[in-house]
Amino acid sequence: MKSIQTKFLILILGCVILCSAVIGSAGILCAKRVVDMDSAQIMNLMCEKRAGQLDALFYRIEQSVGTLSVYAQEQLESVEKLKSDPLYIDEYTEKLESVAVNAANNTEGALAVYIRFNPDFTPPTSGIFWSKTDSSGTFQKLTPTDFSSYSPTDLEHVGWYYVPVKNGKATWMSPYTNQNINEQMVSYVIPLYKDNVTVGVVGMDINFAVVENLVADIQIYRNGYGFLTDETGMVMYHRDLDLGTQMGRLDSSLVPAANELENETSGSNLFTYQWNGQEKKMAFRTLRNGMRLSITAPVKEIDQSKNDLIRLIIIAVAIISILSVVLTVIFTRRLIRPLKELNDAAKKIADGDLSISFTHKAKDEVGTLAESFQKTVSHLQQYIDYINGLAYRDSLTGAKNKTAYQEAEKQMDEKIRLGRPEFAVAVFDINNLKIVNDNYGHDFGDMLIIDASRLICRTFRHSPVYRIGGDEFVVILEDDDFEKYSVLLEEFQKNIEDHNKNARVDNSLSIARGIAVYSSDTDLVFANVFKRADSAMYQNKAAMKELERAARI
């Protein structure tokens, strides 16, 4: 049977909780509605503003190409002369060149300008083509693409001509990478007509970095950002995804978002979707060139102000509850406090938080239970720390494993996103490991891997060393090691030579290596630097094999 004190406490708490629940629920519902409307307005206004900036850029480009198109049509005397008079073609082309180059020089981000004539009745290289050899260079006159070398169906090489002509209207082409200058471009092309005859096209290639920079500058809340897709949900620019990635095929959780972009159903409300187990909300607008500008942010950040307000309401309710029951608590706290402390500790442990301590030091049964509980948690924390250490350590060599490398890659990507870090990536690969395994057994192969790991770790002792494959190691060089990486590579070669002087034939080391230094101009993510280092390593491996082959001859 419950005591009077217990019944009294239940009665007071019941009344307080009931009143608090009614008032608190009303406040929470109002806060949710107001904050949801406010967050939707913030993201939509941001999206509208940035879309306006991009549309203004596209409009200026369209105006520049459109003006050049009008000029080209006005200067053309007749289609017949263009078809039959080679001298007139040269005269007409020369008349257009200075205007075209001037238009390109006055167009933001222009990398190339061209006016090409219909290959059905003009020479296959007729027209003009001026281009920059790099994004900061000047326009130079180049030989136009030879139409006779490509089929009209070869969209990769001559789609810039045949697609706008087929559309019969000005067309924004999809972004692509110009391998000659290693720049991403987007083209705007207008077909030319005279007397209902297709005369040719006028177009400009625009440095897509101009568009990317506008999108990359978008930041909302703490981790919100902007990205570009086409009407099918294919990525045009994204801080984490490569150009051409189809969002709907990347992950099933992104299919609804891709459908939303394709259906062009943007409005005042935000669209909710899941990505990497995180709930996000997105606002987007369709740009004048058909692309979709999206702004996305995690729901937990969007709802931060709402959660803060709810937290204040809860705190207020808690204060009222405390004041209402203070007299009862005074008589019961000696029993309730230690039990509550144990209960709170159990909840923290259930949530994964082991940073607990007990203030109850009584010698009674509750005090003994608290002490045993504290010891159990301490042992559990030690065991978890031990397990975590094993998870990031390669069992054979003691170097960091691939899981640790993946975590480091994420951290480096974040550094790249926030600034321009100075670092280099070195990749090492043990030569002839398969031969050793086949001839002497895998135990000898493991010894070879261990020796290689020791040499790498000893040389690069101030930098993290990762074993990411059977015979492949990666070192991330920063600070002092980055500054003297060439000296360290020489020291590494000397260490190998010293090792091989006293090693048996089956225990000698041959290690290919490659290194790449991060460049903010070309490396968008850490993986770009790794790929260059990996490529350099394979080139070094090939050179070493060639030397071995020559030595045997």
Side-chain angles (χ1 to χ4, degrees):
M1 186 175 180
K2 296 180 179 178
S3 66
I4 296 176
Q5 187 180 44
T6 303
K7 292 179 180 179
F8 190 58
L9 180 60
I10 292 173
L11 176 62
I12 294 175
L13 287 176
C15 293
V16 171
I17 291 173
L18 180 61
C19 294
S20 300
V22 173
I23 297 172
S25 297
I28 290 171
L29 290 174
C30 290
K32 183 180 185 304
R33 184 171 63 254
V34 171
V35 173
D36 286 346
M37 291 175 59
D38 188 49
S39 60
Q41 185 178 26
I42 290 173
M43 291 188 68
N44 276 293
L45 284 175
M46 170 73 79
C47 196
E48 194 75 40
K49 176 183 176 182
R50 296 295 185 163
Q53 292 176 345
L54 288 167
D55 279 340
L57 171 64
F58 296 142
Y59 177 76
R60 293 192 296 272
I61 296 168
E62 291 171 2
Q63 285 290 95
S64 183
V65 179
T67 301
L68 183 57
S69 171
V70 170
Y71 179 79
Q73 289 173 322
E74 290 177 346
Q75 296 300 313
L76 179 61
E77 295 181 12
S78 72
V79 177
E80 291 304 320
K81 294 188 73 172
L82 195 66
K83 288 182 178 180
S84 59
D85 189 346
L87 291 178
Y88 175 73
I89 293 177
D90 294 339
E91 178 185 337
Y92 179 52
T93 302
E94 184 177 354
K95 188 182 298 183
L96 297 179
E97 272 190 329
S98 61
V99 177
V101 174
N102 183 62
N105 278 321
N106 288 281
T107 302
E108 183 178 358
L111 292 177
V113 61
Y114 44 89
I115 302 177
R116 299 303 309 278
F117 305 136
N118 192 332
D120 292 339
F121 52 74
T122 61
T125 59
S126 62
I128 64 173
F129 178 49
W130 286 68
S131 177
K132 294 181 178 180
T133 56
D134 60 74
S135 59
S136 60
T138 58
F139 285 99
Q140 299 181 17
K141 186 176 182 178
L142 302 176
T143 302
T145 301
D146 188 346
F147 280 110
S148 64
S149 300
Y150 305 101
S151 166
T153 60
D154 189 351
L155 298 183
E156 180 180 356
H157 293 94
V158 290
W160 51 268
Y161 177 87
Y162 289 103
V163 171
V165 169
K166 180 180 178 182
N167 293 341
K169 62 180 181 179
T171 302
W172 280 97
M173 306 297 291
S174 297
Y176 67 98
T177 300
N178 186 319
Q179 300 295 341
N180 294 326
I181 61 176
N182 196 29
E183 294 284 357
Q184 286 186 355
M185 295 180 175
V186 61
S187 302
Y188 180 67
V189 187
I190 301 177
L192 293 176
Y193 298 99
K194 185 77 172 182
D195 301 328
N196 294 323
V197 175
T198 302
V199 176
V201 299
V202 175
M204 281 191 190
D205 295 335
I206 307 299
N207 190 344
F208 198 60
V210 176
V211 179
E212 291 179 344
N213 289 339
L214 286 175
V215 181
D217 285 341
I218 297 174
Q219 183 172 6
I220 191 166
Y221 297 105
R222 189 170 65 254
N223 293 304
Y225 56 90
F227 63 92
L228 277 178
T229 68
D230 66 4
E231 67 278 2
T232 66
M234 185 172 72
V235 172
M236 300 289 101
Y237 168 77
H238 195 288
R239 69 177 190 180
D240 300 322
L241 303 178
D242 295 331
L243 173 68
T245 300
Q246 196 71 41
M247 290 178 58
R249 298 175 184 173
L250 182 64
D251 192 285
S252 59
S253 64
L254 292 177
V255 172
N259 292 337
E260 186 77 3
L261 293 169
E262 185 173 357
N263 294 334
E264 198 174 356
T265 53
S266 61
S268 58
N269 295 325
L270 301 179
F271 178 74
T272 304
Y273 66 101
Q274 295 283 335
W275 171 237
N276 285 340
Q278 187 179 50
E279 189 176 16
K280 289 191 167 188
K281 286 187 177 181
M282 174 181 73
F284 73 92
R285 293 292 184 274
T286 300
L287 304 177
R288 64 184 297 121
N289 67 347
M291 291 183 184
R292 310 288 196 258
L293 171 65
S294 301
I295 293 181
T296 182
V299 170
K300 64 180 181 180
E301 294 181 12
I302 297 174
D303 291 345
Q304 184 64 48
S305 57
K306 176 176 65 180
N307 294 336
D308 291 342
L309 187 55
I310 292 174
R311 193 176 296 111
L312 289 175
I313 293 173
I314 294 174
I315 291 173
V317 170
I319 292 174
I320 295 172
S321 301
I322 292 171
L323 292 175
S324 301
V325 299
V326 63
L327 293 177
T328 307
V329 170
I330 290 175
F331 294 104
T332 58
R333 65 180 179 179
R334 291 186 62 85
L335 177 62
I336 293 175
R337 196 171 101 187
L339 293 177
K340 184 177 181 299
E341 192 174 5
L342 282 170
N343 184 54
D344 291 343
K347 288 181 179 179
K348 285 186 176 181
I349 294 172
D351 293 336
D353 183 4
L354 301 181
S355 58
I356 62 171
S357 60
F358 297 104
T359 59
H360 186 70
K361 304 297 183 181
K363 299 299 183 181
D364 55 16
E365 290 82 355
V366 177
T368 302
L369 177 61
E371 185 178 352
S372 300
F373 204 76
Q374 183 74 68
K375 290 180 179 179
T376 301
V377 170
S378 298
H379 291 314
L380 183 60
Q381 182 65 63
Q382 293 174 3
Y383 181 72
I384 291 175
D385 292 342
Y386 172 72
I387 294 298
N388 286 338
L390 293 178
Y392 289 94
R393 188 67 61 182
D394 178 51
S395 59
L396 177 64
T397 64
K400 296 186 177 182
N401 61 13
K402 190 169 184 178
T403 302
Y405 172 74
Q406 291 169 343
E407 292 293 327
E409 184 177 11
K410 293 178 183 177
Q411 294 174 6
M412 297 306 296
D413 280 340
E414 183 66 12
K415 288 183 179 181
I416 292 173
R417 187 183 70 82
L418 296 175
R420 296 184 177 180
E422 291 186 341
F423 70 92
V425 176
V427 178
F428 300 88
D429 190 272
I430 303 173
N431 294 327
N432 306 319
L433 180 61
K434 185 177 184 304
I435 296 174
V436 172
N437 285 333
D438 292 343
N439 293 336
Y440 302 102
H442 285 276
D443 288 342
F444 279 90
D446 288 346
M447 292 171 61
L448 202 65
I449 294 172
I450 293 171
D451 288 341
S453 175
R454 287 174 179 170
L455 275 176
I456 295 170
C457 292
R458 187 173 69 196
T459 305
F460 302 94
R461 53 186 173 274
H462 299 302
S463 296
V465 178
Y466 305 88
R467 183 188 178 200
I468 63 171
D471 56 357
E472 190 170 7
F473 294 83
V474 173
V475 181
I476 300 176
L477 303 169
E478 295 184 276
D479 301 326
D480 290 343
D481 279 9
F482 170 73
E483 297 293 338
K484 58 179 182 179
Y485 70 83
S486 58
V487 175
L488 290 174
L489 287 176
E490 293 176 1
E491 180 182 335
F492 177 69
Q493 180 60 35
K494 183 178 182 302
N495 288 339
I496 291 179
E497 294 171 357
D498 292 343
H499 172 84
N500 289 339
K501 287 178 182 178
N502 302 316
R504 303 186 308 273
V505 174
D506 60 343
N507 198 33
S508 64
L509 283 175
S510 174
I511 302 175
R513 78 293 310 257
I515 190 165
V517 178
Y518 165 74
S519 171
S520 60
D521 294 332
T522 59
D523 301 319
L524 299 179
V525 292
F526 177 84
N528 297 144
V529 189
F530 170 79
K531 288 178 182 178
R532 290 194 289 106
D534 197 48
S535 177
M537 181 274 291
Y538 278 108
Q539 292 177 15
N540 180 242
K541 179 182 282 287
M544 294 175 75
K545 287 184 178 180
E546 188 63 30
L547 288 175
E548 291 177 2
R549 190 179 297 111
R552 288 195 297 270
I553 294 174

